[in-house]
Amino acid sequence: MDLREPIDHRVAGRASLALYLQVRIFSKLGKDHGMSYFEFIAKYGDRILSGTLVSMMLTILAAILAIAIAVAAGLMRMSPNPLVRGIATLYIEIFRGTSLLVQLYWIFFVLPLFGITLEKFTAGFIAVGMNLGAYGSEVVRGAILSVPRGQWEAALALNMSSGKRMLRVILPQALLIMLPPWGNLLIELLKGTALVALIAVADLTFQAKQINATTYLSAQSFGTALIVYYIVARFVITPSMRWLEGYMKRKMGRA
Amino acid sequence: MTTEDLLTFPLALQGDHVPMVSFRQVSKSYGSLTVLDSLDLDVAEGEMVTIIGPSGSGKTTVLRMLMTLETIDGGVIYIDGRPLTHMPKGIGLVAANSRHLRKMRSNIGMCFQHFNLFPHMTALENCMEGPVNVLGLSKKEARERSEQLLAMVGMVDKRHQHPSCLSGGQQQRVAIARALAMRPKVMLFDEVTSALDPEVIGEVTNVIRKLVAEHNLTMLMVTHQMGFAKDISDRVCFFYGGRIEEQGTPEELFGNPKRERTQQFLRAVKEAV
Ligand SMILES: Nc1ncnc2c1ncn2[C@@H]1O[C@H](COP(=O)(O)OP(=O)(O)OP(=O)(O)O)[C@@H](O)[C@H]1O
Ligand SMILES: [Mg+2]
C-alpha cells in the first residue's frame, strides 16, 4: 500500500495550520505594539531569511563533518588495535560528556591561545559537527553490529578482503539501519546550531536576538525563529530522511 | 599448541594420492567444552563426503574450520597438500597469517543453512561480487560466468531479482551459483536444505546431484536428509561427540552399521520421519 500521498497532504496541512496560527496570534499581539505581524515580516523578513540561510548552511556543513567523524570513530571503536579503540573512546567520552556550549567556547576562545584561530562561522560548525559526530559514532557502530553475522561470514567465504567486506557488504546494509536514528540526530544538530549565536555568528537565533533588542517585539522575533526551526526540522529534514530511506529500500528491492 | 608439537606435522603432503582435504589431529574447544577431539579425516579429490550425526556433535564446526571461519586449537588442516591453518616457516609450521589464509581460502567455497545472500544486490550481482572484487575479472567476464552458473541452477530468469523477492529454494540455488563463481576446488554445504519448505528441497538437492554427476568438485556436506546422503555420497561419516564414530560407503553405513551409537542414531532418524 502506498501511504505517501495522504502523508504529504497531512504534512502540508499541518504546515499551513502552523503558519496560519502564527499569523493570527502574532497579528493580535503585534497590534498591541502598533505593528501587525505582516508589517513585522515585511520589515524584518529579509534578516530572518538571511539568518535562516546561515543556520541551514551551518547545519549542512556540521552534518557533513558529523557523518565523517561518526563513521571514522564508529569504525575505530571496533578496531582490534586497543590504541585506535582508545582514541575513539576518549573522543566520544569527551564530546558526549561535556556541554556543547563549552566545547564551542573552547574551540573559539581557547584554541587561539594554542595558535589555532578559527573564523567564528567555521568554529561554529566544527563544534557542532564534532559534538554530533560523537553521538553519531554510536549509531554507526550499533548499525554495523546489527548486520547479521552471516553476512560477514558469506563475504569471508567469498574471500573478500576485510576492507571490501566492510565497504561493499556491511556498510550498505548498516546505512539503511542507521537512517532513522540519523534523522533524529540531524534535528538535534539543527537545534544545536542555535548556540553559535553566542559567538555572534549571524544565524537565525542571532538575528532574532538582534531584532528583539531593537524592537522589543519578543513574541514576534523569537516566535518566528521557533517556527522556522520547527518547519526546517519537521518539513525539510524529516521528509528528506524518509525519502532517502524509501529510496534505499527500493534500491535493495525491499519496498 | 607449542611449536614443538607442530614439528611433527609435515610442511606439505607428498605422494601419489595427496588428499584434497586432510584434517590431522585437529582439535577445537570453546572454553571447557571440547567440540572436536583430535580429528583425522581425509577427503580425496572429486570425492563427496557426507557428515551426519546428532545435534552438537561438531558437524558444522568441521566445515567452519575448513572455511577459516573458526580457528583451530590443535592439529593442522591441509588443502591439496598445503597447510591451510598454518604456513611453513623455517623447518616447521607456524599459525597462518591473514595473507596466507586469503591465498588458501580461494580453494574453498561454502553454502550456508540460511543462504546469507547479500540483500542489497540482485541475484546476478551476488554472483558477480566475488569474481569482480576478489578475482579481478572484468564485469563482462564476471557476468558471463555468473549467468552461465545461474542458468545451471535454473535461476537465470530471476537474475535481476533481489533476494527478498525469491523463495528459500531459489535463494539457496543462487547462493550455490555465487560460491561456484569463485571456481573453488572444495565446496562445503552446511544443512543447505534445513531452512527450506519440504516442497522446494528437491530443487536444491537436484542442483547438488548435478554437481556430483557433472563436475569433479570435492564436496563435504552436512545433512539430516539420510535418503539424499545415501544417494549421492561416496562416503558417509557419522559424527558423535566430536569424533568420527563410524564411516563407510552409504551401503555399509546405512545398510549395515557396526557401532551401537550409529544404529541408535539411524533408528531414531527413521522413527522421526
Ligand atoms: N561460538 C561458539 N561458542 C561456544 N560454543 C559453541 C560455539 N559454536 C558451537 N558451539 C558448540 O559446539 C558444539 C558443536 O557445534 P556444531 O555447530 O558443530 O554442532 P552440529 O553438529 O553442527 O549440530 P547441529 O546439528 O545442531 O547443527 C555444540 O555443543 C555447540 O553448542
Ligand atoms: Mg550444524
Side-chain angles (χ1 to χ4, degrees):
Chain A
M1 187 172 58
D2 192 357
L3 281 171
R4 258 170 297 160
E5 233 189 322
I7 287 177
D8 279 351
H9 280 308
R10 244 173 35 216
V11 165
R14 236 184 286 168
S16 42
L17 179 68
L19 279 174
Y20 171 77
L21 285 177
Q22 178 186 14
V23 170
R24 284 300 300 267
I25 293 166
F26 294 150
S27 355
K28 199 163 178 314
L29 276 172
K31 275 196 197 97
D32 305 337
H33 289 77
M35 188 193 249
S36 79
Y37 190 61
F38 285 116
E39 285 167 325
F40 176 85
I41 289 294
K43 189 142 181 230
Y44 299 108
D46 51 346
R47 284 176 67 179
I48 302 266
L49 186 67
S50 95
T52 306
L53 291 180
V54 171
S55 285
M56 290 182 78
M57 251 345 260
L58 278 166
T59 303
I60 291 168
L61 291 173
I64 293 170
L65 182 65
I67 291 167
I69 290 176
V71 172
L75 290 177
M76 283 167 73
R77 279 276 307 236
M78 291 186 288
S79 162
N81 182 331
L83 182 71
V84 173
R85 245 185 359 248
I87 292 171
T89 309
L90 186 70
Y91 174 85
I92 293 165
E93 280 303 307
I94 290 175
F95 276 85
R96 289 204 327 179
T98 62
S99 129
L100 170 57
L101 184 58
V102 179
Q103 290 161 19
L104 177 67
Y105 283 165
W106 251 84
I107 287 171
F108 190 60
F109 294 116
V110 183
L111 281 191
L113 304 181
F114 298 97
I116 306 168
T117 309
L118 294 173
E119 206 251 316
K120 57 191 177 187
F121 179 84
T122 314
F125 84 74
I126 286 183
V128 178
M130 287 182 86
N131 181 276
L132 264 293
Y135 286 91
S137 68
E138 294 295 282
V139 169
V140 170
R141 194 173 79 100
I144 288 173
L145 289 178
S146 65
V147 174
R149 239 191 110 64
Q151 293 290 312
W152 286 99
E153 296 182 346
L156 187 94
L158 288 181
N159 208 7
M160 295 171 85
S161 66
S162 58
K164 288 232 165 99
R165 288 201 297 266
M166 180 56 89
L167 215 61
R168 300 198 48 88
V169 175
I170 306 302
L171 274 183
Q173 297 182 55
L175 200 58
L176 188 61
I177 300 171
M178 65 174 108
L179 275 179
W182 265 110
N184 292 333
L185 276 181
L186 289 182
I187 289 172
E188 284 305 312
L189 187 147
L190 168 73
K191 293 192 254 174
T193 62
L195 289 179
V196 303
L198 294 169
I199 56 168
V201 178
D203 78 329
L204 179 59
T205 304
F206 182 81
Q207 297 289 7
K209 262 174 60 181
Q210 294 286 84
I211 298 167
N212 177 54
T214 48
T215 62
Y216 298 107
L217 295 173
S218 308
Q220 284 88 334
S221 327
F222 292 122
T224 307
L226 214 64
I227 280 159
V228 172
Y229 277 121
Y230 179 75
I231 287 176
V232 173
R234 203 55 197 80
F235 303 111
V236 178
I237 296 179
T238 305
S240 312
M241 294 303 284
R242 286 250 172 80
W243 177 84
L244 200 60
E245 204 184 326
Y247 172 78
M248 296 214 23
K249 275 191 182 152
R250 275 196 300 286
K251 269 202 76 170
M252 294 196 184
R254 287 215 196 141
Chain B
M1 182 156 66
T2 64
T3 32
E4 232 158 85
D5 295 334
L6 272 174
L7 282 176
T8 58
F9 292 96
L11 295 185
L13 304 181
Q14 268 144 8
D16 286 344
H17 298 287
V18 172
M20 181 55 81
V21 175
S22 183
F23 288 78
R24 298 279 174 101
Q25 296 169 41
V26 172
S27 305
K28 173 78 186 170
S29 38
Y30 293 105
S32 61
L33 175 74
T34 302
V35 179
L36 289 174
D37 184 14
S38 192
L39 173 74
D40 286 305
L41 174 64
D42 282 359
V43 183
E45 186 179 355
E47 196 181 11
M48 161 58 110
V49 171
T50 301
I51 298 175
I52 61 171
S55 180
S57 56
K59 309 181 295 292
T60 296
T61 307
V62 169
L63 298 195
R64 289 176 58 84
M65 290 190 312
L66 248 184
M67 193 66 255
T68 69
L69 291 169
E70 224 60 79
T71 55
I72 69 176
D73 300 323
V76 177
I77 303 177
Y78 295 85
I79 300 286
D80 205 5
R82 285 181 302 160
L84 164 79
T85 48
H86 297 76
M87 55 185 190
K89 188 176 178 192
I91 55 154
L93 291 173
V94 294
N97 61 18
S98 58
R99 210 161 115 230
H100 179 80
L101 285 176
R102 271 205 87 194
K103 199 176 81 201
M104 292 304 292
R105 210 185 273 134
S106 61
N107 294 307
I108 310 160
M110 181 162 181
C111 293
F112 302 86
Q113 184 174 359
H114 296 286
F115 338 126
N116 300 355
L117 289 178
F118 305 135
H120 55 300
M121 300 179 194
T122 63
L124 180 62
E125 287 164 349
N126 263 282
C127 295
M128 289 171 59
E129 183 64 20
V132 170
N133 288 289
V134 179
L135 305 181
L137 261 59
S138 74
K139 284 239 160 96
K140 187 169 165 287
E141 288 171 297
R143 174 170 301 120
E144 273 168 18
R145 182 187 285 196
S146 302
E147 283 178 346
Q148 222 171 348
L149 286 165
L150 286 170
M152 197 267 288
V153 300
M155 285 299 296
V156 76
D157 296 338
K158 304 239 174 204
R159 63 187 178 281
H160 297 305
Q161 302 277 350
H162 281 82
S164 55
C165 306
L166 301 174
S167 74
Q170 292 172 332
Q171 288 188 57
Q172 194 60 284
R173 285 185 282 153
V174 173
I176 293 172
R178 175 176 73 173
L180 291 174
M182 301 299 286
R183 304 252 164 102
K185 294 182 188 160
V186 183
M187 272 291 281
L188 312 175
F189 298 96
D190 187 13
E191 293 194 34
V192 289
T193 56
S194 293
L196 301 180
D197 292 333
E199 68 269 22
V200 299
I201 286 178
E203 60 189 53
V204 173
T205 51
N206 282 339
V207 167
I208 298 176
R209 279 176 211 273
K210 206 150 115 189
L211 282 179
V212 172
E214 295 170 12
H215 298 262
N216 195 34
L217 270 168
T218 307
M219 294 188 249
L220 260 158
M221 178 173 84
V222 172
T223 185
H224 287 298
Q225 286 179 274
M226 298 306 148
F228 180 51
K230 200 168 172 175
D231 279 1
I232 67 157
S233 312
D234 297 313
R235 178 153 51 109
V236 180
C237 295
F238 172 66
F239 268 65
Y240 190 91
R243 295 184 33 250
I244 299 179
E245 180 78 16
E246 182 171 356
Q247 59 176 316
T249 63
E251 293 74 30
E252 286 165 3
L253 197 107
F254 291 114
N256 185 20
K258 302 204 168 46
R259 312 276 295 201
E260 170 91 42
R261 283 180 180 137
T262 319
Q263 295 163 0
Q264 257 172 20
F265 175 76
L266 292 175
R267 221 178 300 129
V269 171
K270 211 171 276 164
E271 273 161 22
V273 171

